[in-house]
Coordinates of all heavy atoms in Angstrom, one line a residue:
M1 N 0.8 -1.2 0.0 CA 0.0 0.0 0.0 C 0.9 1.3 0.0 O 0.5 2.2 -0.6 CB -0.9 -0.1 1.2 CG -1.9 1.0 1.3 SD -3.3 0.4 0.5 CE -4.4 1.6 1.0
E2 N 1.9 1.2 0.7 CA 2.8 2.3 0.8 C 3.4 2.6 -0.6 O 3.6 3.8 -1.0 CB 4.0 2.0 1.8 CG 4.7 3.3 2.1 CD 5.7 2.9 3.2 OE1 5.4 2.4 4.2 OE2 6.9 3.3 2.9
L3 N 3.6 1.6 -1.4 CA 4.2 1.8 -2.7 C 3.2 2.5 -3.6 O 3.5 3.4 -4.4 CB 4.5 0.4 -3.3 CG 5.4 0.4 -4.5 CD1 6.7 1.1 -4.3 CD2 5.7 -1.1 -4.9
L4 N 1.9 2.2 -3.5 CA 0.9 2.9 -4.3 C 0.8 4.3 -3.9 O 0.6 5.2 -4.8 CB -0.5 2.2 -4.1 CG -0.7 0.9 -4.8 CD1 -2.0 0.3 -4.4 CD2 -0.6 1.1 -6.3
S5 N 0.8 4.7 -2.6 CA 0.8 6.1 -2.2 C 2.0 6.8 -2.7 O 1.9 8.0 -3.1 CB 0.6 6.2 -0.7 OG 1.7 5.7 -0.1
G6 N 3.1 6.2 -2.8 CA 4.3 6.9 -3.3 C 4.2 7.1 -4.8 O 4.6 8.2 -5.3
D7 N 3.7 6.2 -5.5 CA 3.5 6.3 -7.0 C 2.5 7.5 -7.2 O 2.6 8.2 -8.2 CB 3.0 5.0 -7.6 CG 4.1 4.0 -7.7 OD1 5.3 4.4 -7.6 OD2 3.7 2.8 -7.8
W8 N 1.5 7.5 -6.4 CA 0.4 8.5 -6.5 C 1.0 9.9 -6.3 O 0.7 10.9 -7.1 CB -0.7 8.3 -5.5 CG -1.8 9.2 -5.6 CD1 -2.8 9.2 -6.5 CD2 -2.0 10.3 -4.7 NE1 -3.7 10.3 -6.3 CE2 -3.2 11.0 -5.2 CE3 -1.3 10.9 -3.6 CZ2 -3.7 12.1 -4.5 CZ3 -1.8 12.0 -3.0 CH2 -3.0 12.6 -3.5
I9 N 1.9 10.1 -5.3 CA 2.5 11.3 -5.1 C 3.5 11.7 -6.2 O 3.5 12.8 -6.6 CB 3.2 11.3 -3.7 CG1 2.2 11.2 -2.6 CG2 4.1 12.5 -3.5 CD1 2.8 11.0 -1.2
W10 N 4.2 10.7 -6.7 CA 5.1 10.9 -7.8 C 4.3 11.4 -9.0 O 4.7 12.3 -9.7 CB 5.9 9.6 -8.1 CG 6.9 9.8 -9.2 CD1 6.8 9.2 -10.4 CD2 8.1 10.5 -9.2 NE1 7.8 9.6 -11.2 CE2 8.7 10.4 -10.4 CE3 8.7 11.3 -8.2 CZ2 9.8 11.0 -10.8 CZ3 9.9 11.9 -8.6 CH2 10.5 11.7 -9.9
A11 N 3.2 10.8 -9.3 CA 2.4 11.1 -10.5 C 1.8 12.5 -10.3 O 1.8 13.3 -11.3 CB 1.3 10.1 -10.7
L12 N 1.4 12.8 -9.1 CA 0.9 14.2 -8.8 C 2.0 15.2 -9.0 O 1.8 16.3 -9.6 CB 0.3 14.2 -7.4 CG -0.4 15.5 -7.0 CD1 -1.5 15.8 -7.9 CD2 -0.8 15.4 -5.6
A13 N 3.2 14.9 -8.6 CA 4.3 15.8 -8.7 C 4.7 16.1 -10.1 O 4.9 17.2 -10.6 CB 5.5 15.3 -7.9
V14 N 4.7 15.0 -10.9 CA 5.0 15.1 -12.4 C 3.9 15.9 -13.1 O 4.2 16.8 -13.9 CB 5.2 13.7 -13.0 CG1 5.2 13.8 -14.5 CG2 6.4 13.0 -12.5
A15 N 2.6 15.7 -12.7 CA 1.5 16.4 -13.3 C 1.6 17.9 -12.9 O 1.4 18.8 -13.8 CB 0.2 15.8 -12.8
A16 N 2.0 18.2 -11.7 CA 2.2 19.6 -11.2 C 3.3 20.2 -12.0 O 3.2 21.4 -12.4 CB 2.4 19.6 -9.7
L17 N 4.4 19.5 -12.2 CA 5.5 20.1 -12.9 C 5.2 20.4 -14.4 O 5.5 21.4 -14.9 CB 6.7 19.1 -12.9 CG 7.5 19.1 -11.5 CD1 8.6 18.0 -11.6 CD2 8.1 20.5 -11.3
L18 N 4.5 19.4 -15.0 CA 4.0 19.6 -16.4 C 3.0 20.8 -16.5 O 3.1 21.6 -17.4 CB 3.4 18.3 -16.9 CG 4.4 17.2 -17.2 CD1 3.7 15.9 -17.7 CD2 5.4 17.6 -18.3
T19 N 2.1 20.8 -15.5 CA 1.2 22.0 -15.5 C 1.9 23.3 -15.4 O 1.6 24.3 -16.1 CB 0.1 21.8 -14.4 OG1 -0.5 20.5 -14.6 CG2 -0.9 22.9 -14.4
G20 N 2.8 23.3 -14.5 CA 3.6 24.6 -14.2 C 4.4 24.9 -15.5 O 4.5 26.1 -15.8
A21 N 5.0 23.9 -16.1 CA 5.8 24.2 -17.3 C 4.9 24.7 -18.4 O 5.2 25.7 -19.1 CB 6.6 23.0 -17.7
T22 N 3.7 24.1 -18.6 CA 2.8 24.5 -19.6 C 2.3 26.0 -19.4 O 2.3 26.8 -20.3 CB 1.6 23.6 -19.6 OG1 2.0 22.3 -19.9 CG2 0.6 24.0 -20.7
I23 N 2.0 26.3 -18.1 CA 1.5 27.6 -17.8 C 2.7 28.6 -18.0 O 2.5 29.7 -18.5 CB 1.0 27.7 -16.3 CG1 -0.3 26.9 -16.2 CG2 0.9 29.1 -15.8 CD1 -0.8 26.7 -14.8
S24 N 3.9 28.2 -17.7 CA 5.1 29.1 -17.9 C 5.2 29.4 -19.4 O 5.5 30.6 -19.8 CB 6.3 28.5 -17.3 OG 6.2 28.4 -15.9
V25 N 5.1 28.4 -20.2 CA 5.3 28.6 -21.6 C 4.2 29.5 -22.2 O 4.4 30.4 -23.0 CB 5.3 27.2 -22.4 CG1 5.1 27.4 -23.9 CG2 6.5 26.4 -22.1
I26 N 2.9 29.3 -21.7 CA 1.8 30.1 -22.2 C 2.0 31.6 -21.7 O 1.8 32.5 -22.5 CB 0.5 29.5 -21.6 CG1 0.2 28.2 -22.3 CG2 -0.6 30.5 -21.8 CD1 -1.0 27.5 -21.7
V27 N 2.5 31.8 -20.5 CA 2.7 33.1 -20.0 C 3.8 33.8 -20.8 O 3.7 34.9 -21.1 CB 3.0 33.1 -18.5 CG1 3.5 34.4 -18.0 CG2 1.7 32.7 -17.7
L28 N 4.9 33.0 -21.0 CA 6.0 33.6 -21.7 C 5.6 34.0 -23.2 O 6.0 35.0 -23.7 CB 7.2 32.6 -21.8 CG 8.0 32.5 -20.5 CD1 9.0 31.4 -20.6 CD2 8.7 33.8 -20.1
A29 N 4.8 33.1 -23.8 CA 4.3 33.4 -25.1 C 3.4 34.6 -25.1 O 3.5 35.5 -26.0 CB 3.6 32.2 -25.7
A30 N 2.6 34.8 -24.1 CA 1.7 35.9 -24.0 C 2.5 37.2 -23.8 O 2.3 38.2 -24.4 CB 0.7 35.7 -22.9
V31 N 3.5 37.1 -22.9 CA 4.3 38.3 -22.7 C 5.1 38.7 -23.9 O 5.2 39.8 -24.3 CB 5.3 38.0 -21.5 CG1 6.4 39.1 -21.4 CG2 4.5 37.9 -20.2
G32 N 5.6 37.7 -24.6 CA 6.3 38.0 -25.9 C 5.4 38.6 -26.9 O 5.8 39.5 -27.6
S33 N 4.2 38.1 -27.0 CA 3.2 38.7 -27.9 C 2.9 40.1 -27.6 O 2.8 41.0 -28.4 CB 2.0 37.8 -28.0 OG 1.0 38.4 -28.8
I34 N 2.7 40.4 -26.3 CA 2.4 41.7 -25.8 C 3.5 42.6 -26.1 O 3.4 43.8 -26.6 CB 2.0 41.7 -24.3 CG1 0.7 41.0 -24.1 CG2 2.0 43.1 -23.7 CD1 0.3 40.7 -22.6
R35 N 4.7 42.2 -25.8 CA 5.9 43.0 -26.0 C 6.1 43.3 -27.5 O 6.4 44.4 -27.9 CB 7.2 42.2 -25.5 CG 8.4 43.0 -25.6 CD 9.5 42.3 -24.9 NE 10.7 43.1 -24.9 CZ 11.9 42.7 -24.5 NH1 12.0 41.5 -24.1 NH2 12.9 43.5 -24.6
R36 N 5.9 42.3 -28.4 CA 6.0 42.6 -29.8 C 4.9 43.6 -30.3 O 5.2 44.5 -31.0 CB 5.8 41.3 -30.6 CG 6.0 41.4 -32.1 CD 5.9 40.1 -32.8 NE 5.8 38.9 -32.0 CZ 4.7 38.1 -31.9 NH1 3.7 38.3 -32.4 NH2 4.6 37.1 -31.1
S37 N 3.7 43.5 -29.7 CA 2.6 44.4 -30.1 C 3.0 45.8 -29.6 O 2.8 46.8 -30.3 CB 1.3 44.0 -29.4 OG 0.9 42.8 -29.9
V38 N 3.6 45.9 -28.4 CA 4.0 47.3 -27.9 C 5.1 47.8 -28.8 O 5.1 49.0 -29.1 CB 4.4 47.1 -26.4 CG1 5.1 48.4 -26.0 CG2 3.2 46.8 -25.5
N39 N 6.1 47.0 -29.1 CA 7.2 47.4 -30.0 C 6.7 47.9 -31.4 O 7.1 48.9 -31.9 CB 8.2 46.3 -30.2 CG 9.1 46.1 -28.9 OD1 9.1 47.0 -28.0 ND2 9.7 45.0 -28.8
E40 N 5.8 47.1 -31.9 CA 5.2 47.5 -33.2 C 4.4 48.8 -33.1 O 4.5 49.7 -34.0 CB 4.3 46.4 -33.8 CG 5.0 45.2 -34.2 CD 4.1 44.0 -34.6 OE1 2.9 44.1 -34.4 OE2 4.7 43.0 -35.0
G41 N 3.7 49.0 -32.0 CA 2.9 50.2 -31.8 C 3.9 51.4 -31.7 O 3.6 52.5 -32.2
G42 N 5.0 51.2 -30.9 CA 6.0 52.2 -30.8 C 6.6 52.6 -32.1 O 6.9 53.8 -32.4
A43 N 6.9 51.6 -32.9 CA 7.5 51.8 -34.2 C 6.5 52.6 -35.1 O 6.9 53.6 -35.8 CB 7.8 50.5 -34.9
R44 N 5.2 52.3 -35.1 CA 4.2 53.0 -35.8 C 4.1 54.4 -35.4 O 4.0 55.4 -36.2 CB 2.8 52.3 -35.7 CG 2.6 51.2 -36.7 CD 1.2 50.7 -36.8 NE 0.6 50.4 -35.5 CZ 0.7 49.2 -34.9 NH1 1.3 48.2 -35.5 NH2 0.1 49.0 -33.7
Q45 N 4.1 54.6 -34.1 CA 4.0 56.0 -33.5 C 5.3 56.8 -33.9 O 5.1 58.0 -34.3 CB 3.9 55.9 -32.0 CG 2.5 55.6 -31.5 CD 2.4 55.5 -30.0 OE1 3.4 55.5 -29.3 NE2 1.2 55.6 -29.5
S46 N 6.4 56.2 -33.9 CA 7.6 56.9 -34.3 C 7.5 57.3 -35.8 O 7.9 58.4 -36.1 CB 8.9 56.0 -34.1 OG 9.1 55.7 -32.7
Q47 N 7.0 56.4 -36.6 CA 6.9 56.7 -38.0 C 5.9 57.9 -38.2 O 6.1 58.8 -39.0 CB 6.4 55.5 -38.8 CG 6.3 55.7 -40.3 CD 6.0 54.4 -41.0 OE1 5.5 53.5 -40.4 NE2 6.1 54.4 -42.3
Q48 N 4.8 57.8 -37.5 CA 3.8 58.9 -37.5 C 4.3 60.2 -37.1 O 4.1 61.3 -37.7 CB 2.5 58.5 -36.7 CG 1.7 57.4 -37.3 CD 0.6 57.0 -36.4 OE1 0.6 57.3 -35.2 NE2 -0.4 56.3 -37.0
I49 N 5.1 60.2 -36.0 CA 5.8 61.4 -35.5 C 6.7 62.0 -36.5 O 6.8 63.2 -36.8 CB 6.5 61.1 -34.2 CG1 5.4 60.9 -33.1 CG2 7.4 62.3 -33.8 CD1 6.0 60.4 -31.8
R50 N 7.5 61.1 -37.2 CA 8.4 61.5 -38.2 C 7.7 62.2 -39.4 O 8.0 63.2 -39.9 CB 9.2 60.3 -38.7 CG 10.5 60.6 -39.5 CD 11.4 59.4 -39.7 NE 10.8 58.1 -39.8 CZ 10.8 57.2 -38.8 NH1 11.3 57.5 -37.7 NH2 10.2 56.0 -39.0
K51 N 6.5 61.5 -39.8 CA 5.7 62.1 -40.9 C 5.2 63.5 -40.5 O 5.1 64.4 -41.3 CB 4.6 61.1 -41.3 CG 5.1 60.0 -42.1 CD 3.9 59.1 -42.4 CE 4.3 57.8 -43.2 NZ 3.2 56.9 -43.5
L52 N 4.7 63.5 -39.2 CA 4.1 64.8 -38.8 C 5.2 65.9 -38.7 O 5.0 67.1 -39.1 CB 3.5 64.6 -37.4 CG 2.2 63.9 -37.3 CD1 1.7 63.7 -35.9 CD2 1.1 64.7 -38.1
A53 N 6.4 65.5 -38.3 CA 7.5 66.5 -38.3 C 7.8 67.0 -39.7 O 8.1 68.2 -39.9 CB 8.7 65.9 -37.6
E54 N 7.8 66.1 -40.6 CA 8.1 66.5 -42.0 C 6.9 67.4 -42.5 O 7.2 68.4 -43.2 CB 8.1 65.2 -42.9 CG 9.4 64.4 -42.7 CD 9.3 63.1 -43.5 OE1 8.4 62.8 -44.2 OE2 10.3 62.3 -43.4
T55 N 5.7 67.1 -42.2 CA 4.6 67.9 -42.6 C 4.7 69.3 -42.0 O 4.4 70.3 -42.6 CB 3.2 67.2 -42.2 OG1 3.2 65.9 -42.8 CG2 2.0 68.1 -42.6
V56 N 5.0 69.3 -40.7 CA 5.2 70.6 -40.0 C 6.3 71.4 -40.7 O 6.2 72.6 -40.9 CB 5.5 70.4 -38.5 CG1 5.9 71.7 -37.9 CG2 4.2 69.9 -37.8
G57 N 7.4 70.8 -41.0 CA 8.5 71.4 -41.7 C 8.0 72.0 -43.1 O 8.4 73.1 -43.4
T58 N 7.3 71.2 -43.8 CA 6.8 71.6 -45.1 C 5.8 72.8 -45.0 O 5.9 73.8 -45.7 CB 6.0 70.5 -45.8 OG1 7.0 69.4 -46.0 CG2 5.5 70.9 -47.2
L59 N 4.9 72.7 -44.0 CA 4.0 73.8 -43.8 C 4.7 75.1 -43.3 O 4.3 76.2 -43.7 CB 2.9 73.4 -42.7 CG 1.9 72.3 -43.2 CD1 1.0 71.9 -42.1 CD2 1.1 72.8 -44.4
T60 N 5.7 74.9 -42.5 CA 6.5 76.1 -42.0 C 7.1 76.8 -43.2 O 7.1 78.0 -43.3 CB 7.5 75.7 -41.0 OG1 6.8 75.1 -39.9 CG2 8.3 76.9 -40.5
A61 N 7.7 76.0 -44.1 CA 8.4 76.6 -45.3 C 7.3 77.3 -46.2 O 7.6 78.4 -46.7 CB 9.1 75.5 -46.1
Q62 N 6.2 76.6 -46.4 CA 5.1 77.2 -47.2 C 4.6 78.5 -46.5 O 4.3 79.5 -47.2 CB 3.9 76.3 -47.3 CG 4.3 75.1 -48.2 CD 3.1 74.1 -48.3 OE1 2.2 74.1 -47.5 NE2 3.3 73.1 -49.2
Q63 N 4.5 78.5 -45.2 CA 4.1 79.8 -44.5 C 5.1 80.9 -44.7 O 4.7 82.0 -45.0 CB 3.9 79.5 -43.0 CG 3.4 80.7 -42.3 CD 3.4 80.5 -40.8 OE1 3.8 79.4 -40.3 NE2 2.9 81.4 -40.0
Q64 N 6.4 80.6 -44.6 CA 7.4 81.6 -44.8 C 7.4 82.1 -46.2 O 7.5 83.3 -46.5 CB 8.8 81.0 -44.5 CG 9.0 80.7 -43.0 CD 10.3 80.0 -42.7 OE1 10.9 79.4 -43.6 NE2 10.6 79.9 -41.4
D65 N 7.2 81.2 -47.2 CA 7.1 81.6 -48.6 C 5.9 82.6 -48.8 O 6.0 83.6 -49.5 CB 6.9 80.4 -49.6 CG 8.2 79.6 -49.7 OD1 9.3 80.2 -49.3 OD2 8.2 78.5 -50.2
A66 N 4.7 82.2 -48.2 CA 3.5 83.0 -48.3 C 3.8 84.4 -47.7 O 3.3 85.4 -48.2 CB 2.3 82.3 -47.6
E67 N 4.4 84.4 -46.5 CA 4.7 85.7 -45.9 C 5.6 86.6 -46.8 O 5.4 87.8 -46.9 CB 5.4 85.5 -44.5 CG 4.4 84.9 -43.5 CD 5.1 84.5 -42.2 OE1 6.3 84.6 -42.1 OE2 4.4 84.1 -41.2
L68 N 6.6 86.0 -47.4 CA 7.4 86.7 -48.3 C 6.6 87.3 -49.5 O 6.8 88.4 -49.9 CB 8.6 85.9 -48.8 CG 9.7 85.6 -47.8 CD1 10.7 84.6 -48.4 CD2 10.4 86.9 -47.4
R69 N 5.7 86.4 -50.1 CA 4.9 86.9 -51.2 C 4.0 88.0 -50.7 O 3.8 89.0 -51.5 CB 4.1 85.7 -51.7 CG 4.9 84.8 -52.7 CD 4.1 83.7 -53.2 NE 4.2 82.7 -52.2 CZ 3.4 81.6 -52.2 NH1 2.4 81.5 -53.1 NH2 3.5 80.7 -51.3
I70 N 3.4 87.9 -49.5 CA 2.6 89.0 -49.0 C 3.4 90.3 -48.9 O 2.9 91.3 -49.2 CB 1.9 88.5 -47.7 CG1 0.9 87.5 -47.9 CG2 1.3 89.7 -46.9 CD1 0.4 86.8 -46.6
Q71 N 4.6 90.2 -48.3 CA 5.4 91.4 -48.2 C 5.7 92.0 -49.6 O 5.6 93.2 -49.8 CB 6.7 91.0 -47.5 CG 6.6 90.8 -46.0 CD 7.9 90.3 -45.4 OE1 8.9 90.1 -46.1 NE2 7.9 90.1 -44.1
H72 N 6.0 91.1 -50.5 CA 6.3 91.6 -51.9 C 5.0 92.3 -52.5 O 5.1 93.4 -53.1 CB 6.7 90.4 -52.8 CG 7.1 90.8 -54.2 ND1 8.2 91.5 -54.5 CD2 6.4 90.5 -55.3 CE1 8.2 91.7 -55.8 NE2 7.2 91.1 -56.3
L73 N 3.9 91.6 -52.4 CA 2.6 92.2 -52.9 C 2.3 93.5 -52.2 O 1.8 94.4 -52.8 CB 1.5 91.2 -52.8 CG 1.6 90.0 -53.7 CD1 0.5 88.9 -53.4 CD2 1.5 90.4 -55.2
T74 N 2.5 93.6 -50.9 CA 2.3 94.8 -50.1 C 3.1 95.9 -50.7 O 2.7 97.0 -50.8 CB 2.5 94.6 -48.6 OG1 1.7 93.5 -48.2 CG2 2.3 95.8 -47.8
E75 N 4.4 95.6 -51.0 CA 5.3 96.6 -51.5 C 4.8 97.1 -52.9 O 4.8 98.3 -53.2 CB 6.7 96.1 -51.6 CG 7.8 97.1 -52.1 CD 7.9 98.3 -51.2 OE1 7.6 98.2 -50.0 OE2 8.4 99.3 -51.7
I76 N 4.5 96.1 -53.7 CA 3.9 96.5 -55.1 C 2.7 97.3 -54.9 O 2.5 98.3 -55.7 CB 3.7 95.2 -55.9 CG1 5.0 94.5 -56.2 CG2 2.9 95.5 -57.1 CD1 4.8 93.2 -56.9
N77 N 1.8 97.0 -54.0 CA 0.6 97.7 -53.8 C 0.9 99.1 -53.4 O 0.2 100.1 -53.8 CB -0.3 97.0 -52.8 CG -1.7 97.6 -52.6 OD1 -2.3 98.0 -53.7 ND2 -2.2 97.7 -51.4
R78 N 1.9 99.3 -52.5 CA 2.2 100.6 -52.0 C 2.8 101.5 -53.2 O 2.4 102.6 -53.4 CB 3.3 100.5 -50.9 CG 3.7 101.9 -50.3 CD 4.9 101.7 -49.4 NE 6.1 101.3 -50.1 CZ 6.9 102.0 -50.9 NH1 6.5 103.2 -51.2 NH2 7.9 101.5 -51.5
K79 N 3.6 100.9 -54.0 CA 4.1 101.6 -55.2 C 3.0 102.0 -56.2 O 3.0 103.1 -56.7 CB 5.2 100.7 -55.9 CG 6.5 100.6 -55.1 CD 7.5 99.7 -55.9 CE 8.7 99.6 -55.1 NZ 9.7 98.7 -55.7
L80 N 2.1 101.1 -56.4 CA 1.0 101.4 -57.3 C 0.1 102.5 -56.7 O -0.3 103.4 -57.4 CB 0.1 100.1 -57.5 CG 0.7 99.1 -58.5 CD1 -0.2 97.8 -58.5 CD2 0.8 99.7 -59.9
A81 N -0.1 102.5 -55.4 CA -0.9 103.6 -54.8 C -0.2 104.9 -54.9 O -0.8 105.9 -55.2 CB -1.1 103.2 -53.3
E82 N 1.2 104.9 -54.8 CA 1.9 106.1 -55.0 C 1.8 106.6 -56.5 O 1.6 107.8 -56.7 CB 3.4 105.9 -54.7 CG 3.7 105.8 -53.2 CD 5.1 105.4 -52.9 OE1 5.9 105.2 -53.8 OE2 5.4 105.3 -51.7
E83 N 1.8 105.7 -57.4 CA 1.7 106.1 -58.8 C 0.3 106.6 -59.1 O 0.2 107.6 -59.8 CB 2.0 104.9 -59.7 CG 3.5 104.5 -59.7 CD 3.7 103.3 -60.7 OE1 2.9 103.0 -61.6 OE2 4.8 102.7 -60.5
V84 N -0.7 106.0 -58.6 CA -2.1 106.5 -58.7 C -2.2 107.9 -58.2 O -2.8 108.8 -58.8 CB -3.1 105.5 -58.1 CG1 -4.5 106.1 -58.1 CG2 -3.1 104.2 -59.0
T85 N -1.7 108.1 -57.0 CA -1.7 109.4 -56.4 C -1.0 110.4 -57.2 O -1.5 111.5 -57.5 CB -1.1 109.4 -55.0 OG1 -1.8 108.4 -54.2 CG2 -1.1 110.7 -54.3
A86 N 0.2 110.1 -57.8 CA 0.9 111.0 -58.6 C 0.1 111.3 -59.9 O 0.1 112.5 -60.4 CB 2.3 110.4 -59.0
L87 N -0.5 110.3 -60.5 CA -1.3 110.5 -61.7 C -2.5 111.4 -61.4 O -2.9 112.3 -62.2 CB -1.8 109.2 -62.3 CG -0.8 108.4 -63.0 CD1 -1.3 107.0 -63.4 CD2 -0.3 109.1 -64.3
G88 N -3.1 111.2 -60.2 CA -4.2 112.1 -59.8 C -3.8 113.5 -59.7 O -4.5 114.4 -60.1
E89 N -2.6 113.7 -59.1 CA -2.1 115.1 -59.0 C -1.8 115.7 -60.4 O -2.1 116.9 -60.6 CB -0.8 115.1 -58.1 CG -1.1 114.8 -56.7 CD 0.2 114.7 -55.9 OE1 1.3 114.8 -56.4 OE2 0.1 114.4 -54.7
R90 N -1.3 114.9 -61.3 CA -1.0 115.4 -62.6 C -2.3 115.8 -63.3 O -2.4 116.8 -64.0 CB -0.3 114.4 -63.5 CG 1.1 114.3 -63.2 CD 1.7 113.4 -64.3 NE 3.0 112.8 -63.9 CZ 3.5 111.7 -64.4 NH1 2.9 111.1 -65.4 NH2 4.6 111.3 -64.0
L91 N -3.3 115.0 -63.1 CA -4.6 115.3 -63.8 C -5.2 116.6 -63.2 O -5.8 117.4 -63.9 CB -5.6 114.1 -63.6 CG -5.4 112.9 -64.5 CD1 -6.3 111.8 -64.1 CD2 -5.6 113.3 -66.0
R92 N -5.1 116.7 -61.9 CA -5.6 118.0 -61.3 C -4.9 119.2 -61.8 O -5.4 120.2 -62.1 CB -5.5 117.9 -59.7 CG -6.7 117.2 -59.1 CD -6.8 117.5 -57.6 NE -5.5 117.1 -56.9 CZ -5.2 115.8 -56.5 NH1 -6.1 114.9 -56.7 NH2 -4.1 115.6 -55.9
D93 N -3.5 119.0 -61.9 CA -2.7 120.1 -62.4 C -3.1 120.5 -63.8 O -3.2 121.6 -64.2 CB -1.2 119.8 -62.3 CG -0.8 119.8 -60.8 OD1 -1.5 120.3 -59.9 OD2 0.4 119.3 -60.6
A94 N -3.3 119.4 -64.6 CA -3.7 119.6 -66.0 C -5.0 120.3 -66.2 O -5.3 121.1 -67.0 CB -3.6 118.3 -66.8
D95 N -6.0 119.9 -65.3 CA -7.3 120.5 -65.3 C -7.3 121.9 -64.9 O -8.1 122.7 -65.4 CB -8.3 119.7 -64.4 CG -8.7 118.4 -65.0 OD1 -8.5 118.2 -66.2 OD2 -9.2 117.5 -64.3
S96 N -6.4 122.3 -64.0 CA -6.4 123.7 -63.6 C -5.5 124.6 -64.4 O -5.6 125.8 -64.3 CB -5.8 123.7 -62.1 OG -4.5 123.3 -62.1
A97 N -4.7 124.1 -65.4 CA -3.9 124.9 -66.2 C -4.8 125.6 -67.3 O -5.8 125.0 -67.7 CB -2.9 124.0 -66.9
P98 N -4.4 126.9 -67.6 CA -5.2 127.6 -68.6 C -5.1 126.9 -70.0 O -4.0 126.4 -70.3 CB -4.6 129.0 -68.7 CG -3.3 128.9 -68.0 CD -3.3 127.6 -67.1
R99 N -6.2 126.9 -70.7 CA -6.2 126.2 -72.0 C -5.9 127.2 -73.1 O -6.4 128.3 -73.1 CB -7.6 125.5 -72.2 CG -7.9 124.6 -71.1 CD -8.6 123.4 -71.7 NE -9.0 122.5 -70.6 CZ -8.4 121.4 -70.3 NH1 -7.3 121.0 -70.9 NH2 -8.9 120.6 -69.3
I100 N -5.2 126.8 -74.0 CA -4.9 127.6 -75.2 C -5.9 127.2 -76.3 O -6.1 126.0 -76.6 CB -3.5 127.4 -75.7 CG1 -2.5 127.7 -74.6 CG2 -3.2 128.2 -76.9 CD1 -1.1 127.4 -74.9
S101 N -6.6 128.2 -76.9 CA -7.6 127.8 -77.9 C -7.3 128.4 -79.2 O -6.4 129.3 -79.4 CB -9.0 128.4 -77.4 OG -8.9 129.8 -77.3
G102 N -8.0 127.9 -80.2 CA -7.9 128.5 -81.5 C -6.6 128.2 -82.2 O -6.0 127.1 -82.0
T103 N -6.1 129.2 -83.0 CA -4.9 129.0 -83.8 C -3.6 128.8 -82.9 O -2.7 128.1 -83.2 CB -4.6 130.2 -84.7 OG1 -5.9 130.5 -85.4 CG2 -3.6 129.9 -85.8
A104 N -3.6 129.5 -81.8 CA -2.4 129.4 -80.9 C -2.3 128.0 -80.4 O -1.2 127.5 -80.2 CB -2.6 130.5 -79.8
R105 N -3.4 127.4 -80.2 CA -3.4 126.1 -79.7 C -2.8 125.1 -80.7 O -2.0 124.2 -80.3 CB -4.8 125.6 -79.3 CG -4.9 124.2 -78.8 CD -6.3 123.9 -78.3 NE -6.4 122.5 -77.9 CZ -7.5 121.9 -77.8 NH1 -8.6 122.5 -78.1 NH2 -7.5 120.6 -77.4
L106 N -3.2 125.3 -81.9 CA -2.6 124.5 -83.0 C -1.1 124.6 -83.1 O -0.4 123.7 -83.4 CB -3.3 124.7 -84.3 CG -4.7 124.3 -84.4 CD1 -5.4 124.7 -85.7 CD2 -4.9 122.8 -84.3
L107 N -0.7 125.9 -83.0 CA 0.8 126.1 -83.1 C 1.5 125.7 -81.9 O 2.7 125.5 -82.0 CB 1.0 127.6 -83.3 CG 0.4 128.1 -84.7 CD1 0.6 129.7 -84.8 CD2 1.1 127.5 -85.8
H108 N 0.9 125.7 -80.8 CA 1.6 125.3 -79.5 C 2.0 123.9 -79.5 O 2.2 123.0 -79.6 CB 0.6 125.6 -78.4 CG 1.4 125.6 -77.1 ND1 2.6 125.1 -76.8 CD2 1.0 126.0 -75.8 CE1 2.9 125.2 -75.6 NE2 2.0 125.8 -75.0

């Protein structure tokens, strides 16, 4: 009888060891899978951050170009306004000048 109880304990110990080993393998596989998922997620986020940084750089360059164009257009607009003002003054001066009529006008 003692022999049977020893075999029973031995079988239980082996079963416990196999169960523990199986659980350990499952846990290690799960941890590995989780770690791989986290690493892949981190890689995707790094790639997205890199793309966003490139987009921000492109937008910043476009904004600077737009600001330069606005400055250029503002300068052109100022010059045109000065020319329009000068033309207006010339027209006023021409309107106020005495007119020569008749033959003298033709000779003038």
